[in-house]
Amino acid sequence: MILHQFIDYETLRVIWWLLIGVLLIGFAITDGFDLGTGTLLPFVAKTDMERRIVINTIGPVWEGNQVWLIVAGGAIFAAWPPLYAVSFSGFYLAMFIILASLILRPVGFKYRSKRDSDTWRAAWDCALFIGGFVPALIFGVAMGNVLQGVPFRFNNDLRIFYEGSFFGLLNPFALLCGLISVAMLVMHGGAWLALKTSGPVAERARRYGIIAALITIILFGLAGLWVWAGFGGYRITSPIDPTGASNPLMKTVVEESGAWFVNYGSYPVLLLAPVFGFIGAAGAFIGLRARWEIATILLSALSIFGIISTVGVSMFPFILPSSLDPRSSLTVWDASSSHLTLFIMLVVTVIFIPLIVAYTSWVYHVLWGKVDEDTINDESGHAY
């Protein structure tokens, strides 16, 4: 028997749906506090030394954290080719803005202290803020558009036609999701700075983190009410073949009010996802006030896990609905690569993901501890 037949096609498709979620959540939790820290930089650091302290809390780890995004992009390309094609084409300008913003981070880290000029350093501090705020906002906006459906369609030859525009992505619900993303990551960044710094920087970080946690709870609840009352989800009305060919046009889909809540009725355990979103943010709010440093960062991560998971489990089996032609919507059952491709990728993933986790864990172990003025002075040849 061929080895890949030991895991059936349906199971592999679900496994890869879960793995993509793990990779995206891993990116949001690890690189999320980097983005949140960059967003908080102008507000928590008032002197040049304080800004250097903030920058050096993330300077040694941001590259490793961003690996999760790179791996997620590569996995989408290999495991879900139609999803990659539609999203990276339709969201091209948004993706370009995200990448341009992310590029500002390494440049800002490297060049900020090259000249002893307040104007020079202030300009790079602004760049680091943009590199944190803009990706956080646009990632959330993208998620909001996915929930509403994206204006694309396939013709009979499976050619993709995207009929939206960049400014069409900036609709009210998507902007609300963007604000949730910013608040969530600022909360996470505040928890990180409370863990990694001390003195005035940590106190300001706690204050802004508390506000961000409260805003996260309010906006997440508002988004849920909006989905419930404001627009419908999508539902497959034709028979589903979980092992069928990857052809999105071989099904019938309707837009239906309340469709994004059906999975919770069928599998009540899935309600843990939004519950984790609320409990994690509430716990981070309490933890920041009570100065529970390690517990707070873990609770903040739990909130991120819950909020992102809520989107995934609400939409399953959809991964990218089409508002233009619901039949063209991409689902777990009709947008994947072949059985053999998914199996080979799974073998590679089982080998390398533990290595990445082990290496990342070792890095955080080595770099454990607070960053303060003495740290910067002691490592003057290495600190940013």
Side-chain angles (χ1 to χ4, degrees), residues 192-356:
W192 172 255
L193 288 174
L195 174 68
K196 292 292 291 182
T197 65
S198 56
V201 173
E203 291 302 318
R204 297 184 195 115
R206 288 189 186 93
R207 185 163 61 248
Y208 284 109
I210 288 169
I211 296 171
L214 184 60
I215 292 174
T216 299
I217 295 170
I218 294 171
L219 295 185
F220 186 41
L222 179 60
L225 292 174
W226 195 329
V227 172
W228 177 266
F231 59 84
Y234 296 83
R235 182 171 66 88
I236 301 174
T237 57
S238 58
I240 298 173
D241 182 5
T243 61
S246 290
N247 184 345
L249 299 181
M250 296 177 64
K251 66 179 182 299
T252 304
V253 177
V254 296
E255 187 175 0
E256 185 175 86
S257 178
W260 287 157
F261 292 87
V262 170
N263 287 339
Y264 298 110
S266 302
Y267 306 97
V269 68
L270 297 179
L271 288 169
L272 286 174
V275 168
F276 285 157
F278 285 115
I279 288 180
F285 175 86
I286 296 170
L288 285 165
R289 291 177 61 88
R291 302 174 186 273
W292 302 336
E293 295 177 351
I294 296 178
T296 299
I297 194 74
L298 294 176
L299 288 164
S300 179
L302 178 66
S303 180
I304 293 173
F305 168 81
I307 290 172
I308 297 177
S309 296
T310 297
V311 177
V313 301
S314 297
M315 293 176 53
F316 186 88
F318 291 90
I319 50 179
L320 190 64
S322 170
S323 60
L324 191 63
D325 175 23
R327 186 178 64 140
S328 296
S329 298
L330 303 178
T331 74
V332 172
W333 313 127
D334 59 24
S336 73
S337 294
S338 69
H339 190 176
L340 179 59
T341 299
L342 295 183
F343 179 78
I344 293 173
M345 289 177 57
L346 180 61
V347 172
V348 173
T349 300
V350 168
I351 294 172
F352 285 100
I353 289 295
L355 293 177
I356 294 173

Side-chain angles (χ1 to χ4, degrees), residues 91 93-98 101 133-145 166 169-170 174 178 181-182:
F91 297 162
L93 183 55
M95 295 286 186
F96 177 83
I97 293 173
I98 288 174
S101 301
F133 175 80
V134 172
L137 178 68
I138 296 182
F139 281 131
V141 167
M143 197 67 72
N145 279 281
F166 172 75
L169 300 175
L170 304 178
S181 176
V182 171

Side-chain angles (χ1 to χ4, degrees), residues 63-141:
E63 288 179 289
N65 294 340
Q66 201 157 279
V67 166
W68 293 97
L69 178 63
I70 297 169
V71 173
I76 291 173
F77 172 78
W80 310 99
L83 173 62
Y84 183 91
V86 173
S87 58
F88 279 71
S89 298
F91 297 162
Y92 181 82
L93 183 55
M95 295 286 186
F96 177 83
I97 293 173
I98 288 174
L99 290 176
S101 301
L102 290 175
I103 289 171
L104 290 175
R105 286 199 299 177
V107 179
F109 290 146
K110 298 296 183 182
Y111 281 88
R112 182 187 180 276
S113 296
K114 294 298 183 182
R115 293 180 58 187
D116 188 13
S117 165
D118 292 340
T119 303
W120 173 268
R121 293 179 176 179
W124 287 115
D125 290 340
C126 181
L128 291 171
F129 167 78
I130 293 172
F133 175 80
V134 172
L137 178 68
I138 296 182
F139 281 131
V141 167

